[in-house]
Amino acid sequence: MLKPPIQELQTYYKTIRTRRMQLILKVQATAFRGIRDYLDNNGFTELLPPIIGPVTDPGIRGAKQVTIDYYGKEYKVMSSAILYKQMAAASLDKIYFFSPNVRLEPLETATTGRHLVEFVQVDIEEANITYEDAMRTAENLVAHIVSYVVDEAAPYLEELGRTLRKFRPPFKKITHREAVELLRSKGEKVSYYTEIPWEQEEKLSRMFDEPFFIIDYPKGARGFYDMEDESRPGILRDFDMLYPEGYGEAISGAEREYRYEKVIARMRESGEDPAKYGWYLDMLREGIPPTAGFGIGVERLTRYLCGLSAVWEARPYPKIAGVYSP
Ligand code: ASN
């Protein structure tokens, strides 16, 4: 467990001038090149990310959205750009953006070493694919990034003391149910019906030495946009990818529910008011193709690549729950 970082983090921005932060930022910039190298060479189009809008992703696991006054109307700062991704993939087929997200995380997350209030995820979406296809993209992307960074950033990794190994897909897949059974067999109290808490996710991640997927989360665990499997009610066609060695979640993704009536029903079930989602529901009513995709958090990626103890080491000006810092 990390020390409470509050005191230290108020002045953490000064570390940008240290050698260690220089090395981390060099590795991170190399990873960005690796991400674009893979996606641009595989038919994806990079788009500018939306930053504010009338609604944003409600599936943010206990964090709060940020509201701003937009000429007298309430707007949200993107907690994720999920709602826009489906529309963009309906037009350009294979898209991605480097999407800045803000989530007011609970105060307890200040010491997890894995939560930031302000972070960036590379959000990826493809039309007319299944979640199995999306997982193939995800594992190929991660394998490419690691290989690219190992080749292109070797001196930086060495100076950081990080040994990074290349991986060859496919990555192992376990269901959410199997993950819960595995954790229960080690004495952990985890539920079959909810998200796996981050502490247990970290323990699970220590049991593996390669990235791996957890698939088929229960309906209660995720947003209304993850598709429910029609032949297995209550089970979603979605996935997380976890890094090994205790680094925990790398990626979250899913096949999306795109049918108007079903989305309305899922919104109601999850306590969302469909009236707030005007433009999104209009888009679905007019009809879009099925899509699937995922998001990969770049600070957690950097943490893994560099072997850092906390995610705030991957940001020169980190924002942590409850910490007033520049
Ligand atoms: N980016 C995630 C996805 O594509 C959604 C999220 O961040 N909540 O499923």
Side-chain angles (χ1 to χ4, degrees), residues 19-323:
R19 179 67 184 151
R20 183 173 164 80
M21 186 55 106
Q22 286 169 350
L23 294 168
I24 293 167
L25 295 178
K26 291 284 188 189
V27 173
Q28 187 174 65
T30 310
F32 294 167
R33 284 205 303 281
I35 291 169
R36 290 195 165 99
D37 182 58
Y38 180 83
L39 294 172
D40 296 347
N41 284 311
N42 281 279
F44 287 83
T45 303
E46 180 173 1
L47 304 179
L48 294 173
I51 310 275
I52 55 172
V55 273
T56 189
D57 181 2
I60 51 174
R61 308 175 200 179
K64 279 201 306 213
Q65 300 178 348
V66 173
T67 303
I68 60 163
D69 178 356
Y70 185 74
Y71 305 99
K73 269 208 188 310
E74 228 182 55
Y75 262 44
K76 301 291 181 188
V77 180
M78 286 305 121
S79 52
S80 99
I82 177 77
L83 304 177
Y84 295 94
K85 285 206 297 184
Q86 286 172 272
M87 181 90 173
S91 168
L92 288 154
D93 208 37
K94 297 167 87 161
I95 61 95
Y96 73 98
F97 25 63
F98 277 68
S99 172
N101 296 168
V102 179
R103 302 178 182 180
L104 296 174
E105 296 285 353
L107 286 173
E108 311 85 82
T109 65
T111 52
T112 63
R114 39 173 294 138
H115 291 88
L116 287 168
V117 171
E118 178 184 75
F119 67 100
V120 169
Q121 63 174 318
V122 183
D123 242 324
I124 292 161
E125 197 79 4
E126 292 177 69
N128 299 305
I129 62 159
T130 63
Y131 77 139
E132 286 94 352
D133 301 324
M135 281 188 273
R136 263 190 293 278
T137 301
E139 64 195 1
N140 287 331
L141 173 64
V142 167
H144 182 82
I145 300 166
V146 171
S147 157
Y148 192 93
V149 166
V150 166
D151 292 341
E152 303 288 322
Y156 306 130
L157 290 174
E158 197 186 326
E159 209 180 321
L160 282 165
R162 173 66 165 160
T163 312
L164 195 60
R165 177 165 81 76
K166 296 186 186 183
F167 302 109
R168 193 177 313 171
F171 297 160
K172 205 172 268 170
K173 293 188 178 77
I174 58 170
T175 62
H176 177 273
R177 170 162 281 274
E178 286 165 345
V180 168
E181 275 159 8
L182 193 56
L183 284 163
R184 286 189 171 194
S185 75
K186 308 272 182 215
E188 296 294 330
K189 292 192 175 55
V190 276
S191 162
Y192 287 112
Y193 305 105
T194 56
E195 186 64 73
I196 300 170
W198 71 267
E199 293 98 325
Q200 277 80 20
E201 209 174 69
E202 193 173 299
K203 287 190 175 130
L204 201 61
S205 149
R206 282 189 205 289
M207 298 178 205
F208 289 77
D209 59 6
E210 290 210 337
F212 64 100
F213 290 104
I214 303 176
I215 65 170
D216 299 348
Y217 281 73
K219 194 151 76 164
R222 294 287 155 97
F224 59 77
Y225 42 79
D226 282 12
M227 166 99 61
E228 186 172 3
D229 195 319
E230 265 164 27
S231 62
R232 298 176 299 163
I235 302 288
L236 301 172
R237 293 172 65 78
D238 65 0
F239 60 90
D240 273 9
M241 186 199 289
L242 269 62
Y243 296 117
E245 303 171 45
Y247 288 99
E249 185 189 321
I251 281 177
S252 255
E255 206 166 302
R256 314 299 179 189
E257 186 51 79
Y258 62 100
R259 294 160 297 182
Y260 177 77
E261 301 293 343
K262 299 252 183 204
V263 170
I264 299 264
R266 290 285 301 283
M267 281 180 171
R268 294 218 165 96
E269 269 173 32
S270 62
E272 284 301 310
D273 176 7
K276 285 193 331 200
Y277 290 85
W279 79 267
Y280 180 69
L281 292 171
D282 282 351
M283 165 188 85
L284 298 183
R285 205 185 298 111
E286 284 167 20
I288 56 163
T291 70
F294 59 90
I296 175 164
V298 305
E299 294 85 354
R300 288 177 178 179
L301 170 68
T302 308
R303 181 187 176 207
Y304 171 68
L305 294 172
C306 296
L308 310 176
S309 61
V311 80
W312 61 74
E313 288 192 82
R315 276 293 309 199
Y317 318 106
K319 304 297 183 302
I320 319 267
V323 179

